[in-house]
Amino acid sequence: MSEDRRLMVLRAIVQDYVQTSEPVGSKALVERHHLGVSAATVRNDMALLEEEGLIHAPHTSAGRVPTDAGYRVFVDRLSAVKPLGQGERRAIGQFLQGAVDLDDVVDRTVRLLASLTRQVAVVQYPSLTRSTVRHIELVPMGSSHLMIVLIVNTGRVEQRVVDTGRVLADPTGEALVASIRSRINEVAAGVPFTVAATRLRRLVGEADGADRAALEAVVSALGDALVEEREERVVLAGQANLARAGSDFPRSIGPILEALEEHVTLLRLLGQLGDDPELVSVRIGSENPVTGLQSTSLVSMGYGSGSERVASLGVLGPTRMDYPTTMASVRAVARYVTEILDENQAT
């Protein structure tokens, strides 16, 4: 029973410290929370929590604040991520449903997350290496040029224009375009892009006659699209929110801002999520392998298309954050983005 009570005391300390940013004393805990015990008992529980490394006293204050380990226990003991209110969920859905393409989805998502949580929002673009080809369209342009339109299941659309070296504005050229369109979609549509690239190269190797040069030009352009998009990207918003939490970074927010500029670092952190798209990941303070971010926490979650996670999104802020609300916001937004990608895939 005393262990359960200590967890209640820890939870109360976390909640009060998040709300007030002031060290929490036993008297305040008794006054604000219905713990059912005396201040002396609470002081004893706080002493045990301090021995366990879950709280500590900053400078000479009589109050206590959570440690990274204390926040970890608090997060792990959350029975479930509380759902957002119906109004909040409706607002998220309406804001994201207005997006016209994938770039717009990502832009709206990162701004929405920063606004909801008042933290720095990070959204990873879906990688083509984790996506599948939905359709490849060929559109004749001029006498010998083709526009290649690559449509991916995530909603991404890539365009390239190539010179086929063949006259396309006659019946023979039209038949050639139709033949190439049919052949490349037969081997590439509905499969992962990396597999599609291999199949397309094999298709060129099997081709012969005068059509081979045109087919090779199309496949080469599709391969270029894959190489360009293999370099994954992240988009950030809300960096100014760090300044409002300046007291949480007693040294400087400079190292944090420098770390945020290293997008490769952020991609690596987001990539360390598990493959379960239903789990919210929380990395707290010193758990973070990046030195400049060890005074922050990262709350993140994967989003996907179908059952596969294709990328991740999340928020980064001080360890003194409202974890339940932040986790609920990240989860809700990730689920809506997944729904939007699923809708794009179905249409």
Side-chain angles (χ1 to χ4, degrees):
M1 189 67 178
S2 59
E3 182 180 355
D4 290 341
R5 191 180 63 241
R6 284 205 305 278
L7 289 173
M8 289 174 58
V9 171
L10 175 63
R11 186 184 304 115
I13 292 172
V14 170
Q15 291 170 344
D16 281 9
Y17 184 58
V18 166
Q19 184 175 3
T20 68
S21 76
E22 296 292 335
V24 183
S26 57
K27 183 179 178 182
L29 289 175
V30 172
E31 291 175 351
R32 294 175 189 163
H33 302 270
H34 302 291
L35 300 175
V37 293
S38 67
T41 301
V42 172
R43 280 195 297 273
N44 184 59
D45 286 338
M46 291 176 69
L48 292 172
L49 289 170
E50 191 164 10
E51 286 180 12
E52 294 170 1
L54 303 181
I55 61 175
H56 73 103
H59 47 82
T60 58
S61 170
R64 300 293 184 271
V65 302
T67 63
D68 290 351
Y71 285 123
R72 168 52 59 196
V73 171
F74 171 78
V75 169
D76 288 347
R77 292 303 178 99
L78 290 174
S79 57
V81 178
K82 68 174 184 179
L84 293 180
Q86 186 175 356
E88 293 170 305
R89 294 199 305 272
R90 187 183 306 114
I92 292 172
Q94 290 174 344
F95 186 76
L96 294 181
Q97 283 292 347
V100 296
D101 56 22
L102 182 63
D103 289 332
D104 197 13
V105 170
V106 172
D107 178 66
R108 286 170 181 254
T109 299
V110 75
R111 289 188 289 118
L112 175 64
L113 268 176
S115 174
L116 282 174
T117 64
R118 298 187 180 180
Q119 314 285 3
V120 180
V122 185
V123 177
Q124 176 188 10
Y125 262 89
S127 165
L128 285 185
T129 58
R130 290 183 137 198
S131 305
T132 59
V133 175
R134 181 174 161 194
H135 182 70
I136 301 168
E137 186 54 61
L138 304 180
V139 182
M141 299 180 65
S143 60
S144 63
H145 289 75
L146 274 179
M147 175 183 285
I148 304 166
V149 183
L150 168 65
I151 306 170
V152 186
N153 65 321
T154 59
R156 178 173 290 282
V157 176
E158 291 293 318
Q159 297 180 347
R160 296 288 188 278
V161 176
V162 297
D163 187 346
T164 64
R166 286 283 306 271
V167 175
L168 303 176
D170 60 21
T172 303
E174 292 172 0
L176 172 61
V177 172
S179 173
I180 293 176
R181 181 190 296 116
S182 174
R183 280 186 280 172
I184 61 178
N185 277 291
E186 184 177 347
V187 300
V191 300
F193 205 91
T194 47
V195 176
T198 301
R199 291 184 178 182
L200 288 168
R201 286 194 297 271
R202 188 181 304 132
L203 193 64
V204 172
E206 295 170 352
D208 54 20
D211 294 351
R212 175 167 178 163
L215 177 61
E216 190 169 10
V218 171
V219 169
S220 175
L222 288 169
D224 289 344
L226 171 62
V227 170
E228 282 188 22
E229 291 305 321
R230 191 170 280 173
E231 182 179 350
E232 298 181 13
R233 291 187 289 154
V234 293
V235 180
L236 280 74
Q239 292 93 321
N241 288 326
L242 289 173
R244 286 197 283 271
S247 61
D248 290 287
F249 311 115
R251 295 178 182 175
S252 170
I253 64 172
I256 301 172
L257 293 174
E258 290 175 8
L260 290 176
E261 289 178 2
E262 297 293 332
H263 286 191
V264 173
T265 298
L266 294 175
L267 283 166
R268 187 169 68 248
L269 291 177
L270 292 173
Q272 291 171 353
L273 283 171
D275 285 327
D276 188 341
E278 292 299 312
L279 292 181
V280 180
S281 171
V282 182
R283 184 174 282 123
I284 300 170
S286 56
E287 298 172 355
N288 203 314
V290 181
T291 303
L293 299 180
Q294 289 184 343
S295 59
T296 68
S297 289
L298 174 67
V299 179
S300 54
M301 186 171 178
Y303 66 90
S305 177
S307 60
E308 182 182 4
R309 179 171 68 86
V310 297
S312 304
L313 55 81
V315 298
L316 181 139
T319 54
R320 187 186 64 86
M321 69 165 62
D322 181 350
Y323 288 97
T325 300
T326 302
M327 292 167 69
S329 298
V330 167
R331 185 181 64 176
V333 172
R335 287 179 172 176
Y336 272 106
V337 174
T338 295
E339 287 180 12
I340 291 171
L341 296 185
D342 284 343
E343 288 172 5
N344 289 341
Q345 186 175 6
T347 56

